[in-house]
Amino acid sequence: MNSPNRTTHIRLTSHPEPNAATVRRPIKWGVSDPKERGPVIGSITNPSDRNVIGAHGGSYSLYRALAISARALNPMARPDLHNTHPTAEIGPHPQWFEPGRIVSLDPWGHMVGQIYRDDIASDVDIRPTIAITKARLNMPEILSAMGAKRLKADGGVLRASGDISVTKVAVDPVWYLPGIAERFGCAEGELRRTLFEQTGGMFPELVTRPDMSVFLPPIGNITVYVIGEVAKLSHPKTRIACRVHDECNGSDVFGSDICTCRPYLVHGIEECVREAQSGGVGIIAYNRKEGRALGEVTKFLVYNARKRQEGGDKASTYFERTECVAGVQDARFQQLMPDVLNWLGIRRIDRLMSMSNMKYDAITASGIEVVERVPIPAELVPPDAQVELEAKKAAGYYTPEGAPDASDLEKIKGRDLERF
Amino acid sequence: MNSPNRTTHIRLTSHPEPNAATVRRPIKWGVSDPKERGPVIGSITNPSDRNVIGAHGGSYSLYRALAISARALNPMARPDLHNTHPTAEIGPHPQWFEPGRIVSLDPWGHMVGQIYRDDIASDVDIRPTIAITKARLNMPEILSAMGAKRLKADGGVLRASGDISVTKVAVDPVWYLPGIAERFGCAEGELRRTLFEQTGGMFPELVTRPDMSVFLPPIGNITVYVIGEVAKLSHPKTRIACRVHDECNGSDVFGSDICTCRPYLVHGIEECVREAQSGGVGIIAYNRKEGRALGEVTKFLVYNARKRQEGGDKASTYFERTECVAGVQDARFQQLMPDVLNWLGIRRIDRLMSMSNMKYDAITASGIEVVERVPIPAELVPPDAQVELEAKKAAGYYTPEGAPDASDLEKIKGRDLERF
């Protein structure tokens, strides 16, 4: 089996050259003609064509390397994109070309097979960074909602079996570094250096290739579930319900009772179904930011520190424990999150199923109006999750009945480790 | 706020030096005395102490960089590990020192706060790569199993509320590169070069630092849920039920009906509860390998190619479609998966809730006996998931009633895109 560079020296890092791909095939971020904008080329099958830092597939590029090491994958293999095109059209929308509106994904990422057909035919390895398909979801909580008459089958959006028909979209991150730096309020050079240093020296091109402005970071993707008609998303009259959710494997999959993640997500899906049934559209945006983007090891260390502290697990010391262990209360930084909503072409969210002030502030700052915020219904909050929820309310979470004060927080306690 | 290297030149890559940390603080992988083995030091707060390639937290090191760029995190912050120690003891077990038995995680990763206490006190930045805590899980399917009298509350493992008491463990990957190469049947140098090239040049140290044998790859962690008494895990008489699960967000969280992932996972949990109630222990090992470790964008592209192919979505062409798009049928490579089971100290699995021949082969090859394989009950297979399940049976999946033949496979069809 062949390997692309095996006969040459290893190039530890690249530097700008007169004939670099960034000169031959520049990416003009934000330009409205996609051919002029130019394709994102992150493939490693022809290194001289690369005009971005990083590789396709995020973290999964490491598994590709293992597949090649095991002789199961030809390193020169290129995807056959036949029949893979989107099941629904999304865009182009005006937001795609508004300066600074979208900086963390490639708005043309799902359409590369059509737009750059000729380039691909002439051997340029251009790959989709977005994929759009259909699915049917079946969740026990939705069946319960039907049993309790909160939801009713309609044969289209929701079937008698409990199946929900959705369009789902996987979006890999594509970072336009000057735009990312602007969102975080720092200089581009500082952002590049910090990314390089904090990852233990990942991608020297971050500092050696100022001509490469686009980065494919090895982090997880976003998944968007659209309930209702995708084509209606950008119509100003369409009512839109939306839950923006950050991954929490322990609750989302396993139903851990220390937080409200799955209950709020399921409530969001229920609201989305209802909105779609009355002619609107529902959106769930699922972001891979486990444990406030600190990862699960840190999350579990914080759980122990919370449960063991003097006085027990109290709402009044909730944020403090995370900061002691992680150095920061939260690393999710919602600044990039609204990009996917702008990519969908929406200008208004009628019902936002989130109490997070960080999410609300980020969405409204990105030019999307939020009409109503929908808190999690009290009966859905699991027993041990009051500590987190009340601490967040006191710190600025949206709550119609008013935030708890310091003495309230002192009284709200979680389960001891001995009582699990 | 200070930054570690700001006043110095940027070092694009490092090279072995006489006074390198690998000389001062070598990692002697597999040695039984943990002090002699030496700590894994991946911190970036003191670069000269680093004896591994990469950074802690896997992919989440990028979010740490964003937190610093946003001035929310002091780059010199170190974790306060007070009260974070494990809620249950695991090891040391003989498997930790058997040559080649564990190569993809640090067996001492949860105990660094105790073992290297003096080093940490004298300013060496050593961080846990494993965290162990407790949780209570509540899942609607378990409540249904109780309603159907398949499960009964016992007040300990399973409560009348449906709560399951578990110990849960988050394990970050720590790769010992010579051992990884051996598992994949290639030379270490070839593995290092392939990892470097296929990721688009991530971590030049993979090729410049042969003295650094340990790598913290930016991929997801493993989560282990233990139901029953952790201390019993390594006793030869303890009956053990086990599900080894690879992440599938679409099914695990959202209940997509194109595969059997969540139903099989929930069945695994039910079997684990039953085993624990009769004095055994149940283990769920959850691996972040979305879409066969090809990622969700590739997965959705494959769904479209399957559904649109001539003749429809057939079991007979199931694997072919993945290979056309991804170049490989599956990139999960179960070679590393048994490490976490060996870390737990188990020598025998009495009931393995998996039909995968790859998983079975990897587990038994790693020295763990498998007594019985438990297929997914037929009534749990969702309508559109027959295509995948039958294709897998024909390709070698365990099935007591015999595998389908070519003409059977030709007849098994999935839903068309028009019927979603």
Side-chain angles (χ1 to χ4, degrees), chain B residues 140-420:
Chain B
E141 296 93 335
I142 296 297
L143 283 163
S144 298
M146 293 168 76
K149 312 279 181 207
R150 292 201 310 276
L151 284 179
K152 216 175 126 181
D154 60 78
V157 171
L158 179 64
R159 285 178 165 73
S161 60
D163 280 6
I164 304 169
S165 291
V166 302
T167 292
K168 61 179 186 177
V169 187
V171 182
D172 267 345
V174 178
W175 285 6
Y176 177 59
L177 293 168
I180 303 278
E182 205 181 312
R183 293 274 178 95
F184 285 91
C186 65
E188 185 190 341
E190 186 188 342
L191 173 72
R192 286 170 173 262
R193 184 166 180 159
T194 306
L195 282 168
F196 175 71
E197 287 176 353
Q198 292 299 317
T199 53
M202 190 191 276
F203 296 120
E205 273 77 10
L206 286 166
V207 289
T208 65
R209 294 295 301 265
D211 60 318
M212 281 187 173
S213 296
V214 175
F215 175 38
L216 307 179
I219 58 174
N221 66 292
I222 304 166
T223 317
V224 181
Y225 288 79
V226 181
I227 304 176
E229 283 180 45
V230 176
K232 282 186 179 173
L233 272 174
S234 58
H235 293 183
K237 287 195 173 161
T238 306
R239 276 184 59 88
I240 290 179
C242 175
R243 161 91 187 146
V244 181
H245 189 84
D246 292 328
E247 172 175 4
C248 168
N249 191 261
S251 170
D252 293 347
V253 176
F254 290 95
S256 161
D257 80 341
I258 201 172
C259 57
T260 59
C261 299
R262 182 171 173 101
Y264 213 170
L265 175 65
V266 172
H267 177 65
I269 296 172
E270 190 177 322
E271 292 288 335
C272 285
V273 168
R274 231 180 322 265
E275 201 67 70
Q277 287 182 326
S278 55
V281 181
I283 301 168
I284 307 286
Y286 192 92
N287 298 287
R288 301 300 185 293
K289 293 181 179 172
E290 178 59 57
R292 297 191 196 153
L294 296 164
E296 218 177 25
V297 169
T298 299
K299 181 178 186 171
F300 290 6
L301 295 174
V302 172
Y303 285 161
N304 287 347
R306 277 174 54 186
K307 296 292 184 185
R308 284 191 182 117
Q309 67 188 311
E310 214 174 313
D313 182 22
K314 290 185 292 191
S316 53
T317 55
Y318 171 79
F319 284 109
E320 209 179 286
R321 287 302 105 204
T322 305
E323 195 159 357
C324 278
V325 176
V328 60
Q329 291 179 359
D330 195 315
R332 285 178 292 178
F333 301 103
Q334 302 294 345
Q335 286 95 316
L336 307 179
M337 171 272 286
D339 284 18
V340 76
L341 304 175
N342 277 297
W343 175 72
L344 292 169
I346 68 176
R347 297 279 190 195
R348 191 187 68 248
I349 293 171
D350 294 277
R351 289 169 67 75
L352 176 66
M353 281 75 73
S354 168
M355 297 158 76
S356 163
N357 49 324
M358 282 90 80
K359 289 178 185 167
Y360 174 83
D361 292 347
I363 291 171
T364 53
S366 83
I368 297 171
E369 182 193 354
V370 173
V371 179
E372 187 191 352
R373 292 198 263 177
V374 184
I376 184 169
E379 66 273 18
L380 294 184
V381 179
D384 206 32
Q386 293 291 352
V387 171
E388 173 169 337
L389 190 62
E390 296 303 316
K392 284 178 168 177
K393 284 182 188 171
Y397 259 43
Y398 171 74
T399 165
E401 71 272 13
D405 65 19
S407 86
D408 296 331
L409 287 188
E410 190 65 26
K411 287 177 217 138
I412 297 158
K413 286 197 188 179
R415 195 183 294 131
D416 292 335
L417 279 176
E418 286 62 42
R419 298 193 295 120
F420 268 82

Side-chain angles (χ1 to χ4, degrees), chain A residues 31-146:
Chain A
V31 162
S32 60
D33 173 6
K35 296 214 171 183
E36 195 193 337
R37 203 296 300 266
V40 164
I41 310 176
S43 151
I44 43 65
T45 61
N46 187 356
S48 69
D49 275 350
R50 290 166 52 84
N51 60 7
V52 301
I53 301 164
H56 282 293
S59 292
Y60 292 104
S61 60
L62 281 112
Y63 283 96
R64 202 166 50 222
L66 293 182
I68 290 167
S69 300
R71 307 280 192 279
L73 172 60
N74 180 339
M76 301 306 289
R78 293 186 181 188
D80 170 5
L81 297 177
H82 183 61
N83 277 338
T84 63
H85 57 278
T87 58
E89 279 184 29
I90 292 179
H93 293 300
Q95 287 92 327
W96 295 15
F97 320 117
E98 291 167 9
R101 193 68 85 204
I102 295 176
V103 300
S104 61
L105 59 87
D106 176 5
W108 304 101
H110 54 313
M111 293 159 73
V112 300
Q114 299 126 269
I115 296 169
Y116 306 114
R117 188 191 308 270
D118 297 344
D119 287 315
I120 294 171
S122 66
D123 215 31
V124 186
D125 188 3
I126 300 168
R127 304 188 177 196
T129 55
I130 297 176
I132 305 176
T133 190
K134 288 182 180 179
R136 281 220 209 152
L137 315 184
N138 196 289
M139 303 175 80
E141 295 94 333
I142 296 296
L143 283 163
S144 297
M146 293 168 77

Side-chain angles (χ1 to χ4, degrees), chain A residues 5 59 71 80 83 85 132-133 136 138 190 193 218 221 223 255 257 296 304 308 324 417 419, chain B residues 5 59 71 80 83 85 132-134 136 138 190 193 218 221 223 255 257 296 304 308 324 417 419:
Chain A
N5 287 328
S59 292
R71 307 280 192 279
D80 170 5
N83 277 338
H85 57 278
I132 305 176
T133 190
R136 281 220 209 152
N138 196 289
E190 186 188 343
R193 183 167 182 161
N221 66 291
T223 318
D257 80 339
E296 218 177 26
N304 287 348
R308 285 191 182 116
C324 278
L417 279 175
R419 296 192 296 121
Chain B
N5 287 328
S59 291
R71 307 278 191 283
D80 169 5
N83 277 338
H85 58 279
I132 304 176
T133 189
K134 288 183 181 178
R136 281 221 207 150
N138 196 289
E190 186 188 342
R193 184 166 180 159
N221 66 292
T223 317
D257 80 341
E296 218 177 25
N304 287 347
R308 284 191 182 117
C324 278
L417 279 176
R419 298 193 295 120

